[in-house]
Amino acid sequence: MNFSPEYAADRFLKTLSAEQYEKATYSFEDTMRTKWTNLPVGLVPRAGIPYGSLSDSSRLAWHRVLTAILSSQGYLKTTSIMKLDDILNELYKSYLDGGKINQPTYDRIRNLNWSHGNYYISVYGLPYSGKPWSINYGGHHIALTNLQYKNGVSMSPYFIGTDPGEVKTDKYAGLRVLSKEEDYGFMLINLLSPKQKSMNIVSEKIPADIITSPSSSQRIDNYYGISADKMNTEQKILLDLIIEEYVHNLNHTKAHQLMSKIRKNGYKKIYFAWIGSTMNDKPHYYIINSPDILIEYDNVGFNNDGNHIHAILREKGNDFGEDLLMRHYKEVKH
């Protein structure tokens, strides 16, 4: 059986009705292809068709697309984040019933329209066309893009988030979808010596969100914190684990290509910086920056409870296939 993204996406499109197909497909040049957000659909509408509107046959085919472009861990995180939206709705309903929030507050939250079915699928260009094409998937706490062409793949930016980071009450208490992104960060910062921490911990206000969020004009051009060549072997191994946790959400081929690229440039050029608490359940933030990738992790929470995670992986110079497309246009006459 063919497990390629092209085959899976083509098969998915063939399950759609004529009306769904028209809403889901766009020209590759459409400017919506390079727009992303992690905000709920009630705040920022999405292009494409909602997952919740799909037939069973289309849902089965869509999950084949996800398993083609993501690793097993990436697939499970993505589908768990979707489920977490329904869990969050259940939690807010219990808060209403228990008198912790009032009806207007509950109505305002529900109008944000996050739910398992409110993730939108859009396709730019077409698989098997011989030209670049892209498939995007987005909703509350997911912004996934996968651009394919014969000379490569781009999956940048790749945003994931969780609210709550850890479910604290009711039947799902203990669930932590992005556990390793959090745990490995704490393990590394607390493994540093006092001297290393003085180089690593940045005395700044904890960002309210990732600095390179789509609503921000801020970029991260400088390198902060401690370079990996100043870490001992144990610390370098842990830094590697953090990077791999993000990169290996992508499918096997793309993940190993990107890890090879990162390691080729060496540890001297990888920097790790931390802002905020070094303990659980308190606001904290970290960044890993190298010439090849940028990783941001932010965990502040609306009540400063350190229980609402936003995280992003970016392949520098290749957001939405920028580098890949540049090479394509140089090689192919238009």
Side-chain angles (χ1 to χ4, degrees), residues 75-113:
Y75 169 73
L76 290 173
K77 287 177 187 177
T78 298
T79 52
S80 295
I81 289 168
M82 292 169 64
K83 175 62 179 173
L84 194 59
D85 271 359
D86 282 354
I87 294 173
L88 188 59
N89 286 331
E90 289 180 26
L91 288 173
Y92 276 114
K93 183 61 168 66
S94 71
Y95 298 159
L96 175 67
D97 294 341
K100 293 182 180 179
I101 59 174
N102 58 29
Q103 188 68 47
T105 299
Y106 177 74
D107 292 342
R108 178 178 57 81
I109 291 168
R110 291 300 290 120
N111 285 337
L112 295 173
N113 286 337

Side-chain angles (χ1 to χ4, degrees), residues 110-131:
R110 291 300 290 120
N111 285 337
L112 295 173
N113 286 337
W114 56 52
S115 75
H116 181 266
N118 262 345
Y119 289 84
Y120 279 68
I121 303 161
S122 52
V123 181
Y124 300 86
L126 292 173
Y128 294 126
S129 64
K131 299 177 182 179

Side-chain angles (χ1 to χ4, degrees), residues 25-42:
T25 55
Y26 299 80
S27 162
F28 185 77
E29 286 72 32
D30 195 297
T31 57
M32 288 300 297
R33 183 181 68 81
T34 57
K35 290 180 169 60
W36 72 277
T37 178
N38 61 286
L39 294 174
V41 175

Side-chain angles (χ1 to χ4, degrees), residues 4-19:
S4 72
E6 290 85 357
Y7 177 81
D10 184 62
R11 185 166 169 257
F12 165 72
L13 289 173
K14 286 175 179 175
T15 68
L16 301 179
S17 67
E19 182 182 0

Side-chain angles (χ1 to χ4, degrees), residues 62-71 75 78-79 82 137 144:
W62 176 245
H63 279 264
R64 293 286 181 166
V65 174
L66 291 178
T67 54
I69 64 179
L70 297 168
S71 66
Y75 169 73
T78 298
T79 52
M82 292 169 64
Y137 190 50
L144 169 63

Side-chain angles (χ1 to χ4, degrees), residues 174-326:
L175 178 64
R176 299 172 63 222
V177 176
L178 301 182
S179 59
K180 294 304 181 186
E181 288 82 352
E182 182 174 32
D183 291 350
Y184 287 157
F186 278 125
M187 288 168 69
L188 179 54
I189 187 64
N190 288 303
L191 197 60
L192 299 182
S193 68
K195 182 179 179 181
Q196 288 174 316
K197 283 184 179 179
S198 70
M199 300 166 62
N200 174 263
I201 297 178
V202 181
S203 299
E204 297 284 347
K205 183 179 178 182
I206 302 168
D209 197 354
I210 58 171
I211 293 171
T212 61
S213 71
S215 60
S216 171
S217 60
Q218 296 183 80
R219 313 310 301 168
I220 299 176
D221 298 317
N222 297 322
Y223 290 88
Y224 302 97
I226 183 173
S227 64
D229 68 323
K230 292 183 171 60
M231 295 181 180
N232 63 34
T233 300
E234 186 180 6
Q235 293 162 348
K236 285 179 182 177
I237 289 172
L238 202 44
L239 178 64
D240 240 15
L241 283 176
I242 300 174
I243 296 171
E244 287 181 342
E245 187 64 31
Y246 285 83
V247 173
H248 282 285
N249 289 324
L250 315 180
N251 70 54
H252 178 86
T253 301
K254 177 61 183 177
H256 281 274
Q257 286 174 349
L258 188 51
M259 285 306 303
S260 295
K261 183 179 175 184
I262 294 165
R263 287 178 177 139
K264 184 178 179 182
N265 273 321
Y267 284 103
K268 272 188 182 179
K269 299 179 181 180
I270 302 176
Y271 281 75
F272 172 64
W274 187 279
I275 303 175
S277 176
T278 58
M279 298 178 64
N280 283 343
D281 298 323
K282 294 182 180 179
H284 56 282
Y285 165 97
Y286 68 75
I287 180 173
I288 296 171
N289 199 0
S290 84
D292 304 303
I293 61 161
L294 175 71
I295 290 171
E296 275 193 274
Y297 166 99
D298 183 83
N299 191 342
V300 176
F302 291 120
N303 299 312
N304 287 323
D305 58 0
N307 198 31
H308 185 154
I309 296 171
H310 286 179
I312 193 167
L313 168 68
R314 303 184 98 122
E315 184 180 0
K316 289 190 177 179
N318 205 22
D319 271 359
F320 300 103
E322 179 185 348
D323 180 63
L324 179 64
L325 292 173
M326 192 178 299

